[in-house]
Amino acid sequence: MDKYMVNYDQISELPLVEREDFARNTARILIGAGSIPSTGCLFRATFQPGGFHATHLHAACDEFVYIISGHGLKGVAEQVYELRPGCAYYLPKGVSHWMLNTHKTESVQVVGFYPNSPDFDHTGYQYIGPIPGKFTK
């Protein structure tokens, strides 16, 4: 890693603790706090089969997410989208959203970006509640 370039393999996974709003996931900050300093945060996350991020929002910044691989569901406000490779999502600040890997054996790989936050802690994260039950059965 240097001032302008980092390789995914050089970055340690964040110490994520499973809780009611976030489970069976790993993440690494590629650009931002703990890596190449920036006013934004570029991250890569893996959602294992059954992994999820429950309904939440970011009050302080937008979020952009690009799906590298895998399949599942992405809820944004009242809309629900099929999660598949090549899809990109714009999640405006203050808009609730969630994500669920529905595949039994395949992980979901995503790259995301918070343009005005150097890490997850400064996004204004607010947990809203579980993913609607009709999608988790």
Side-chain angles (χ1 to χ4, degrees), residues 62-76:
D62 296 337
E63 179 179 10
F64 302 90
V65 176
Y66 177 76
I67 309 305
I68 299 170
S69 64
H71 297 274
L73 297 172
K74 180 76 175 170
V76 182

Side-chain angles (χ1 to χ4, degrees), residues 15-123:
L16 301 178
V17 177
E18 290 198 8
R19 24 181 234 222
E20 68 177 320
D21 60 331
F22 196 80
R24 295 182 290 286
N25 306 312
T26 59
R28 299 178 192 200
I29 294 178
L30 300 170
I31 297 174
S35 179
I36 297 173
S38 173
T39 57
C41 173
L42 179 69
F43 66 90
R44 181 169 171 182
T46 301
F47 289 69
Q48 299 301 327
F52 66 90
H53 197 166
T55 309
H56 66 283
L57 61 81
H58 304 280
C61 68
D62 296 337
E63 179 179 10
F64 302 90
V65 176
Y66 177 76
I67 309 305
I68 299 170
S69 64
H71 297 274
L73 297 172
K74 180 76 175 170
V76 182
E78 301 302 318
Q79 299 280 2
V80 177
Y81 300 93
E82 178 186 348
L83 198 79
R84 61 186 193 277
C87 290
Y89 301 89
Y90 166 55
L91 310 166
K93 69 179 174 181
V95 173
S96 64
H97 55 280
W98 53 266
M99 192 164 123
L100 173 65
N101 179 348
T102 57
H103 202 274
K104 297 204 183 308
T105 60
E106 186 179 274
S107 295
V108 172
Q109 300 281 331
V110 307
V111 171
F113 181 63
Y114 300 113
N116 300 314
S117 178
D119 57 27
F120 297 120
D121 295 335
H122 292 90
T123 64

